[in-house]
Amino acid sequence: MIGRLAPPWDGLLLDARLATLRDDLGAYGAIEDGVLAWKEGLIAWAGPRAELPGEPEALARRVESAQRRWITPGLVDCHTHLVFAGDRALEFERRLQGASYEQIAREGGGILSTVRATRAADEAGLLSASLARARALLADGVTTVEIKSGYGLDLDSERAMLRVARRIGEELGIGVRATCLAAHALPPEYAGRADDYIAAVCEWLPELHAEGLVDAVDAFCEGIGFSPAQVRRLFEVARGLGLPVKLHADQLSDLGGAALVAEFGGLSADHIEYADEQAVRAMAAAGTVAVLLPGAFHVLRETQLPPITALREHAVPMAVASDLNPGTSPLLSLRLAMSLACTHFRLTPEEALRGATVNAARALGLHDRGRLLPGQRADFVQWDIAHPAELAYWLGGGLAHAVHVAGVAHHHG
C-alpha cells in the first residue's frame, strides 16, 4: 500500500493540527505541528512536520498551509432517513400542545403521513428535496452518510427511495450506504396483517439487492413496529443474501432487539435506550456497534438514557448519528448531534468525535475511513477552531472551513 502512496503526492497541507484519532497518541490522537498528504484519494502521510522525509515542495505537486486549523477525519453519519417528501412541522406543534405520538399516528399522522407524501412524489422531486438536506450535512463536515428507505412501504416506492440515495452519492461525490428499511411501519393496505407484509418484504429484498440498491437491512423492532419473530424472518433472508443487518432496537421498550441483532452478528443496534446489561454483553461479544441518537431523545423529550456506563464497561464502540428524519429528529447537523450526545448522554467531546468518525464507520461495516492514517480514504475536514472539543461545544454555526472527500475539496465555508 505505502509503495503505491510514495511521493510525489497529489496534495500536502502544512501548519496543521491533526486530530488523527490514533489510539497510541493520547487525547484525540493529536499532532500539534502536523502535515497531512494524500495521493489517489487516499491519505499518504499524516504525522509531525519534523518527521517529514524531505522538503514539502519536493514531495507533493501542491502544497498549502492549513494555517494552524484543526483537521479531523471526515464525519460519518451512520443513521439517517434523509430521503422523504413533505414535513411534519404541524405535528411537532401539536405534540407541544399535548397530543401524544400514538394519538397523532391513529389520526393518520406519524410515519404514515410521510409515507403518503413520499409515495406521491416523483423521483426528481424526491431527489431535489433530499439533496438539500444532504448538502446541509456535507457543509457541516459529513463525508459519508447512511440513508434508509422506509417511507415507501411498497416495492416501487422503496426502490425509488434507494435509487435517490444512490443518486445523492453520485451528485455530491460523497460516500453513501443505502439501507433497506421496508420493515419500518405497517402500510395501510396491510392493516392487521403484519406477517403478510413481512413476507412481502422478504420477497422484495432479493430483487432490490440484485439491482445493486441495498448495502444493509434494517427494521423497526418495537410494539408499534415489528415483533422480534418478524424481524428474525427478515434477518434470515438478509443473511441468505450475504447482506449485513442493523436494527432500530429497544427505543421505546425492551423487546430484546439489541440482543437479537447481536445474535445475527449485526453491524449496529440503534437507539437502545431500554437495552439491558445482558444485551450489552451480547453486543460486545458480536462486535456490534451501539448507535446513539440523541436528536430523537431530545425532540421526544425522553428520559430513559441508553446504558452508557455498561457500554463503556464492556468496551462496546459508541457511534453518534443525526437520525435525520421528518418526525422525531429533524436534525440537519451531525455536529449538533455530537453536542446533544454530550449534554443528554454525558459523552465526552472526544467520545462524541470518535462516535461520529471511526465508530460510525464501523457501524456501516467500513474500515477504510474514520481516522487520519496512511491508506485510509482522504476524507477530512479543516475546522476553524482552537481545540477539537469545540466541535461538540458550539451549538450550530459554520465551523467547517473546507470539507475534503477523497482528497477533493467539496465545500468551502
Side-chain angles (χ1 to χ4, degrees), residues 249-294:
D250 309 334
Q251 178 186 5
L252 308 171
S253 60
D254 183 3
L255 290 185
L260 173 66
V261 73
E263 183 192 323
F264 279 83
L267 290 173
S268 67
D270 303 35
H271 288 291
I272 66 165
E273 279 85 341
Y274 285 84
D276 63 13
E277 176 124 16
Q278 204 177 332
V280 171
R281 277 205 197 91
M283 288 170 65
T288 298
V289 176
V291 178
L292 305 176
L293 303 169

Side-chain angles (χ1 to χ4, degrees), residues 43 111 157 199 274 298 326 340 398:
I43 294 172
I111 289 173
S157 307
Y274 285 84
H298 177 79
L340 293 172

Side-chain angles (χ1 to χ4, degrees), residues 89-100 103-104 107:
L90 297 180
E91 282 182 27
F92 173 66
E93 191 170 11
R94 288 202 52 213
R95 273 208 311 275
L96 295 172
Q97 290 160 352
S100 76
Q103 185 185 344
I104 289 168
E107 293 163 10

